[in-house]
C-alpha cells in the first residue's frame, strides 16, 4: 500500500468516526419543545426519562427543583433555569422536555370559555323531571349518544340517532 493510499484510508476512518460520534450525540439529545431554548429565567417544565425517579435525579443534578412526580408518564414537573435546561436536555437519559402548560377545569367559566370541546353541539334528546318525580337511578348515557332515565313514574329513553 502506498503512502498516499494509507493517508486516504486513515483520513476516511477519522472522518467516519467523527461523523458517527456527532450523529450519536445528536440522536441522544432529548426532544426539547420549540420555544423553550429562547426563554430566560425560571422555566416550568415537564422532564421525561425512563422513570420518574430518574427524571427527578436529572433535574436535581442540574440544580432544578422537582415540583411534582408524574410517575404514570415517567416524568416530573420541575422548575429549571435556562442553563439547567440545557444540562438536562443534553443528558442521554432524558427523553423529552416540554413546557408545563396551565390547564383549567372544563366547568370553569374563566376567560369566557364555555367548557365545550368545540362550538359544534348536537342535542340528541332531552328529558324533563317534575317536582314530584323520584329519580331511581342517574341518567345512563348510551353508546349511540342517547340516554336512559329511570324514575318511579316511568322509564325514559332517547335514541342518539339524528
Amino acid at each position: 500500500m502506498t503512502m498516499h493510499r494509507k493517508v486516504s484510508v486513515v483520513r476516511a476512518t477519522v472522518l467516519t468516526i467523527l461523523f458517527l460520534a456527532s450523529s450519536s450525540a445528536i440522536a441522544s439529545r432529548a426532544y426539547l419543545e420549540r420555544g423553550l431554548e429562547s426563554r430566560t429565567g425560571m422555566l416550568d417544565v415537564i422532564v421525561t426519562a425512563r422513570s420518574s425517579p430518574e427524571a427527578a435525579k436529572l433535574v436535581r443534578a442540574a440544580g432544578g427543583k422537582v415540583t411534582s412526580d408524574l410517575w404514570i408518564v415517567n416524568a416530573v414537573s420541575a422548575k429549571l433555569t435556562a442553563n439547567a435546561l440545557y444540562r438536562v436536555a443534553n443528558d442521554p437519559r432524558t427523553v423529552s422536555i416540554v413546557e408545563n402548560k396551565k390547564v383549567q377545569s372544563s366547568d370553569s367559566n374563566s376567560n369566557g370559555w364555555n367548557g365545550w370541546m368545540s362550538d359544534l353541539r348536537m342535542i340528541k334528546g332531552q328529558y324533563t323531571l317534575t317536582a314530584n318525580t323520584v329519580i331511581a337511578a342517574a341518567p345512563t348515557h348510551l353508546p349511540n349518544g342517547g340516554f336512559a332515565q329511570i324514575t318511579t313514574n316511568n322509564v325514559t329513553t332517547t335514541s342518539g340517532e339524528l
Side-chain angles (χ1 to χ4, degrees):
M1 200 186 275
T2 67
M3 183 59 127
H4 179 68
R5 176 86 173 128
K6 286 181 183 177
V7 169
S8 295
V9 169
V10 169
R11 186 177 296 148
T13 304
V14 168
L15 289 174
T16 302
I17 291 170
L18 289 174
F19 173 76
L20 291 175
S22 67
S23 65
S24 68
I26 291 168
S28 70
R29 183 163 185 221
Y31 168 79
L32 184 61
E33 183 176 12
R34 181 180 295 184
L36 279 177
E37 67 276 355
S38 63
R39 305 264 306 273
T40 59
M42 204 57 127
L43 307 172
D44 271 332
V45 294
I46 296 176
V47 178
T48 309
R50 286 185 173 197
S51 67
S52 63
E54 185 172 46
K57 285 179 190 174
L58 293 166
V59 167
R60 289 184 184 113
K65 180 183 178 193
V66 174
T67 57
S68 184
D69 183 4
L70 307 172
W71 59 270
I72 202 159
V73 291
N74 299 326
V76 294
S77 61
K79 292 193 179 291
L80 291 171
T81 63
N83 289 336
L85 176 76
Y86 284 110
R87 280 182 274 170
V88 175
N90 287 314
D91 191 302
R93 297 171 293 172
T94 305
V95 174
S96 67
I97 303 174
V98 296
E99 183 179 7
N100 191 1
K101 296 173 180 68
K102 304 301 176 210
V103 295
Q104 66 184 20
S105 169
S106 63
D107 64 353
S108 71
N109 197 12
S110 61
N111 300 323
W113 183 47
N114 62 15
W116 290 85
M117 292 295 292
S118 75
D119 289 332
L120 176 64
R121 298 184 200 116
M122 288 186 256
I123 298 175
K124 295 189 174 190
Q126 43 186 317
Y127 57 91
T128 305
L129 301 176
T130 61
N132 62 352
T133 302
V134 177
I135 299 173
T140 301
H141 297 277
L142 305 173
N144 68 356
F147 59 85
Q149 170 67 55
I150 301 172
T151 66
T152 55
N153 300 338
N154 61 8
V155 175
T156 305
T157 58
T158 301
S159 169
E161 304 300 318
L162 295 177

